[in-house]
Structure formats: C-alpha cells, structure tokens
Amino acid sequence: MKTSRRFPALAVALALALAACAPAAAARAQSQPYGALERGYRTGYSDGYQSGWTDQLRGARADYGGKPEYQSADRAYIAAYGSLEDYRDGYQQGFESGYQQGYARQGFNSELPAGGVARRGAGPRGQADAGREPAQGNVPDDAEESSSDSGRAPNSGGAGGRVAGPAGPLPSNAVLTVE
C-alpha cells in the first residue's frame, strides 16, 4: 500500500522538476543562435584575421576587398547552416573585422559583436548593395606579386586546392580558433 502512494508522488515531483528546467533550456538555446549569418561571421573573422596579419607582415597595403576568399565568401559553408546568402553576408562582415584586427596586430577575438550580427544585404559573390559603399578592390602591384602561387604545388590540399602560405610568427599569447 505504501508503494502505491509513493509512485504518484514521485511522478508529480519529477514532472514539476522537468517543467522548471524547460524555460532555462529554452533561454540557453536562444542565447546561442548560430545560424548561417553567425557561422559565416566566425569563419570570415578567422580567415580575415590571418589574411590581415599576413598582409601586414609583407608590408602590403590594407585591402580586404581584393581577396578571393572575401569575394566568394563561401568557405566551409554547408546547407545545414541555412541560406548561402546569409552565410556570405556574415562571412564578409567577419572577414572585414578580422582583417582589420589582424592587420593592426590586435588580439584574435572571433566572438560575435555585442548585439549579434545584423544582416546588411550582401549580394551573391560578394557584390555590395547600392546602400553600402563597395568593398576596397584594388590590390597594389607589390601585393599581387607577393601573393602569387609560385613555389606551391597545384591542388595540394585544402578546399578547392587553396593552400595557406606561412603566416609568420605569432605572439606567445595568441589565441586561435579552428573550425
């Protein structure tokens, strides 16, 4: 008889505990929205940071707009992330921010900006909307020469056969995020 009274009490206690945990789990899920825009931003930031750091080491003029990665803005994209257009928009925003941080040799921080990443309407293949200034696109002659693929084996790894060249020494306190 005692066992039959304990079972309903345990069931009610368990149901109440689960009901109390549900809002906390929903809040956690909403606090980390990683859609195509956010994933693109983080990947673009990482790529832009490395590109900016390399340009600064080479003594090249700061110019993210002429980079093929910035223009295609689709590295590491998979359909499960969401819209390719959103991913490209986020990638370009992240690339710009990362490039500027890397070129200035500031610390690596691929965290999303305060308030999140807002859609700004980049078109396909990195073309800017009419309401936005076009990206810088002129690469100085010396930067083109230094970024040539001479000395690299064709199609020797990486997505699309791209191979990253040496980026130079990193400071001892550098934090890198690999996706």
Side-chain angles (χ1 to χ4, degrees):
M1 191 84 171
K2 289 182 183 180
T3 308
S4 63
R5 289 184 184 168
R6 287 185 189 167
F7 180 72
L10 285 174
V12 169
L14 183 60
L16 289 174
L18 289 175
C21 292
R28 244 190 341 266
Q30 289 177 352
S31 69
Q32 297 180 352
Y34 290 116
L37 197 62
E38 292 81 11
R39 289 176 189 269
Y41 181 90
R42 294 191 65 157
T43 303
Y45 182 94
S46 180
D47 294 350
Y49 188 88
Q50 182 177 3
S51 183
W53 188 280
T54 302
D55 281 358
Q56 196 279 332
L57 282 175
R58 292 179 177 165
R61 181 173 60 92
D63 176 29
Y64 59 81
K67 306 293 180 198
E69 299 86 7
Y70 177 82
Q71 293 172 358
S72 65
D74 61 359
R75 190 186 74 76
Y77 169 77
I78 59 173
Y81 293 161
S83 161
L84 176 58
E85 188 175 319
D86 284 350
Y87 184 86
R88 285 182 172 151
D89 190 11
Y91 184 96
Q92 288 180 337
Q93 290 181 54
F95 194 96
E96 292 167 14
S97 179
Y99 186 92
Q100 291 165 358
Q101 297 282 101
Y103 196 86
R105 290 186 171 227
Q106 295 175 350
F108 183 93
N109 181 7
S110 67
E111 293 298 316
L112 298 175
V117 182
R119 179 97 167 91
R120 68 177 185 193
R125 294 284 175 189
Q127 296 173 0
D129 270 357
R132 215 178 96 211
E133 289 185 27
Q136 302 168 353
N138 297 329
V139 178
D141 293 336
D142 60 336
E144 285 179 6
E145 185 177 312
S146 66
S147 67
S148 70
D149 288 334
S150 61
R152 295 185 190 160
N155 296 328
S156 59
R162 291 185 220 134
V163 178
L170 290 176
S172 62
N173 63 347
V175 178
L176 301 178
T177 301
V178 179
E179 292 184 11

